[in-house]
Amino acid sequence: MQHMGRDLPKNQAQMRLASENAIVTANLFNVTIVNQLWLVRNGIVEESEFIGDSVFTPAFVQVSAREFDLLVIPDRMQLAPKCDEARRGDLVASRLGHVVDLLPQTPYTAVGLNFSWEYDPSPARPIREVQQQLFCKPTAIAS
């Protein structure tokens, strides 16, 4: 298993990045303008990049493309890269950033990055001990 680009011995805890995404929030996205034709004409997604089933409704848009998934709902737009790690930052900036540039009238409220990690503790250290260290104040732990 990889940890920050290096192998760890099997008796040590293992941690790996499971997923990541970028989010832009707004008071209200006009979801209805984000359709397949708009995405293609504005260079967000090339026609050949669409894979699987994408969904376009007045309430939400879910796009599945070769290198990313895009979700647009009234209060947020979320892009989850599926490409090589080295390209993810540029992909987010070019695709999500381009949508933001195209819609300057949208009342944006925040931008964020979300990371989900998978953690496999060392067999020598019980998970309860790890949970207490990560999530509890030492004075709050009940005996």
Side-chain angles (χ1 to χ4, degrees):
M1 184 174 280
Q2 292 288 313
H3 173 71
M4 301 294 204
R6 61 185 167 89
D7 288 319
L8 291 175
K10 293 213 181 286
N11 64 344
Q12 290 187 10
Q14 306 288 314
M15 200 167 168
R16 84 170 187 86
L17 183 61
S19 66
E20 60 189 288
N21 63 60
I23 288 184
V24 175
T25 62
N27 288 335
L28 184 64
F29 279 106
N30 184 355
V31 177
T32 59
I33 68 166
V34 183
N35 59 49
Q36 193 169 5
L37 183 60
W38 185 86
L39 291 167
V40 171
R41 282 188 176 168
N42 287 288
I44 309 301
V45 184
E46 293 181 23
E47 194 171 340
S48 63
E49 289 182 293
F50 288 97
I51 60 169
D53 295 325
S54 294
V55 179
F56 299 89
T57 73
F60 74 95
V61 170
Q62 174 69 53
V63 173
S64 184
R66 269 194 321 249
E67 295 190 314
F68 63 90
D69 289 325
L70 177 69
L71 172 69
V72 183
I73 57 178
D75 70 340
R76 84 180 57 108
M77 180 172 43
Q78 174 179 308
L79 188 138
K82 299 187 293 191
C83 60
D84 294 331
E85 189 174 335
R87 296 193 54 250
R88 291 178 184 169
D90 289 337
L91 179 82
V92 169
S94 67
R95 306 298 175 105
L96 200 56
H98 189 51
V99 172
V100 169
D101 289 342
L102 289 168
L103 303 172
Q105 71 281 5
T106 301
Y108 299 108
T109 56
V111 63
L113 300 172
N114 296 315
F115 300 95
S116 294
W117 292 88
E118 290 181 353
Y119 178 76
D120 185 13
S122 163
R125 189 167 180 208
I127 188 67
R128 179 169 168 77
E129 184 180 316
V130 174
Q131 287 173 328
Q132 289 174 343
Q133 181 184 5
L134 292 174
F135 304 112
C136 298
K137 294 179 183 177
T139 56
I141 298 174
S143 301

